[in-house]
Amino acid sequence: MTGLDSILPAAALPFPEIDPVVFALPPFELFGTEIVLAVRWYALAYIAGLALGWFLIRELMRRPALWPANSAPMPPEKTDDLLFWMTIGVVVGGRLGFILFYSPEILWTDPVQALRIWEGGMAFHGGMLGVVLAGYLFARNNGYAMWSLGDAVAAVTPIGLFFGRIANFINGELWGRPTDVSWGMVFPQITERLVAPDGRVLPSYADRYPWLLVDGQNVPRHPSQLYEAALEGLLLFAVISFLIWRRDALKRPGVIVGTFLLGYGLARGFCEFFRQWNVELGPDAVLFGVEITRGQTLSLPMVLAGAAILYWALKRDRTAEA
């Protein structure tokens, strides 16, 4: 029995091959360069997350009874300005985070690539830091309560995470580790990247990424993108919504921020046990036989910070300035 035989289940779920491009306009030339304008599911995921986030924050601002002293941290109409700041933070922070955390060699081998956002490559942890900085500047410049504003942004972030992970699944990226569970899927994108048309495993990839294939063949893997959509998106949004609408959590500034950081860090850290390591990096470390990934390394500070903020917020006087 080969290693492949030991991991291949009797049947695997077919991967629903959805075209990552929703639609594309006919190509045209501009200054001698062929330009192709296309709308992708990944872009729509960002738009949907930001649009729904804008709508829900606006609704929260229209309900002063949810906030400390029955006063929302900003007027509902200012949500438009907040959306602009958040969009800049997500895009710039997400791109810089991807480069610094996962592909720093881009900075000295092809720095212009850092600007090619349309080619893919965004990191949530970088996007989160970008949003934190943008939110801080927005609150300070407008004289708004920083922690309460942060609670509003944290409350809607799982929506964007959900749509983003669904887009990852449609793109067939960030796949999981090999598995023998009955819902494992064979992601054809792995074969497309690592196997030549004549069936040979490309030597450079075989040497650099030996963990991607088993006995030189593609195998069923965990649909880890869906695990993350469920935990980082749906479950975390449900928990935060319960705290807001049933436990008056917004009246204690910082509670939702702490809950989000703690919840996301735990959910991401758990899902990383089923998600394939970054192909360029491999695991960060192996502790007691357990492979620690870059995602888990970056999520640990979130867990610690979330727990600390949550403890501080719950101990803080409700009447203190938000």
Side-chain angles (χ1 to χ4, degrees):
M1 177 180 292
T2 66
L4 179 61
D5 294 330
S6 66
I7 199 169
L8 191 63
L13 294 179
F15 177 78
E17 295 189 51
I18 303 172
D19 192 337
V21 177
V22 183
F23 66 86
L25 299 177
F28 61 93
E29 283 196 6
L30 183 64
F31 303 117
T33 302
E34 184 177 82
I35 305 295
V36 178
L37 297 179
V39 175
R40 298 176 177 272
W41 288 109
Y42 200 74
L44 291 183
Y46 271 83
I47 294 171
L50 290 167
L52 286 175
W54 166 84
F55 174 79
L56 289 178
I57 289 178
R58 191 178 179 91
E59 291 303 306
L60 289 175
M61 297 303 160
R62 287 175 171 171
R63 290 167 169 77
L66 294 174
W67 301 94
N70 294 323
S71 177
M74 72 176 185
E77 59 270 18
K78 294 295 289 185
T79 308
D80 298 359
D81 296 337
L82 176 63
L83 175 65
F84 173 77
W85 283 75
M86 294 300 99
T87 301
I88 298 299
V90 166
V91 175
V92 176
R95 184 59 175 173
L96 290 178
F98 172 78
I99 293 172
L100 295 176
F101 298 151
Y102 296 100
S103 299
E105 70 279 358
I106 290 177
L107 295 176
W108 56 84
T109 60
D110 186 12
V112 177
Q113 186 178 345
L115 304 177
R116 301 174 189 152
I117 298 177
W118 57 89
E119 294 183 358
M122 301 285 281
F124 168 77
H125 295 92
M128 184 199 69
L129 293 175
V131 166
V132 169
L133 178 59
Y136 168 76
L137 294 174
F138 177 79
R140 189 188 68 175
N141 291 343
N142 290 277
Y144 297 145
M146 182 182 69
W147 283 107
S148 286
L149 197 65
D151 285 337
V153 174
V156 303
T157 300
I159 299 173
L161 289 170
F162 171 77
F163 285 113
R165 294 310 182 195
I166 295 299
N168 291 148
F169 179 73
I170 292 174
N171 288 348
E173 60 191 5
L174 306 183
W175 2 262
R177 304 185 191 189
T179 182
D180 59 358
V181 298
S182 60
W183 59 87
M185 290 184 180
V186 175
F187 289 89
Q189 294 82 1
I190 298 177
T191 302
E192 292 170 4
R193 296 178 190 179
L194 306 185
V195 180
D198 60 4
R200 294 178 299 104
V201 177
L202 300 179
S204 59
Y205 286 107
D207 294 339
R208 294 174 63 191
Y209 314 140
W211 53 83
L212 290 183
L213 301 178
V214 176
D215 290 351
Q217 299 185 48
N218 205 349
V219 298
R221 294 173 176 273
H222 285 285
S224 55
Q225 313 97 323
L226 301 183
Y227 301 172
E228 293 186 82
L231 296 183
E232 302 168 7
L234 295 179
L235 180 59
L236 188 53
F237 181 72
V239 170
I240 288 175
S241 297
F242 174 80
L243 293 176
I244 290 175
W245 299 103
R246 298 296 183 183
R247 291 293 182 266
D248 292 329
L250 291 177
K251 288 187 176 295
R252 288 186 177 274
V255 165
I256 298 302
V257 170
T259 299
F260 171 77
L261 292 174
L262 178 61
Y264 175 84
L266 291 175
R268 175 68 182 269
F270 174 75
C271 289
E272 285 284 325
F273 287 116
F274 305 95
R275 175 173 160 175
Q276 184 66 63
W277 321 308
N278 181 277
V279 294
E280 299 290 344
L281 302 174
D284 275 3
V286 179
L287 300 177
F288 306 107
V290 178
E291 297 150 349
I292 306 301
T293 69
R294 180 60 52 90
Q296 289 170 324
T297 300
L298 295 173
S299 294
L300 179 59
M302 293 183 65
V303 172
L304 298 177
I309 292 172
L310 193 56
Y311 176 82
W312 166 80
L314 291 173
K315 292 291 185 181
R316 192 184 188 203
D317 186 350
R318 278 179 183 251
T319 62
E321 183 180 351

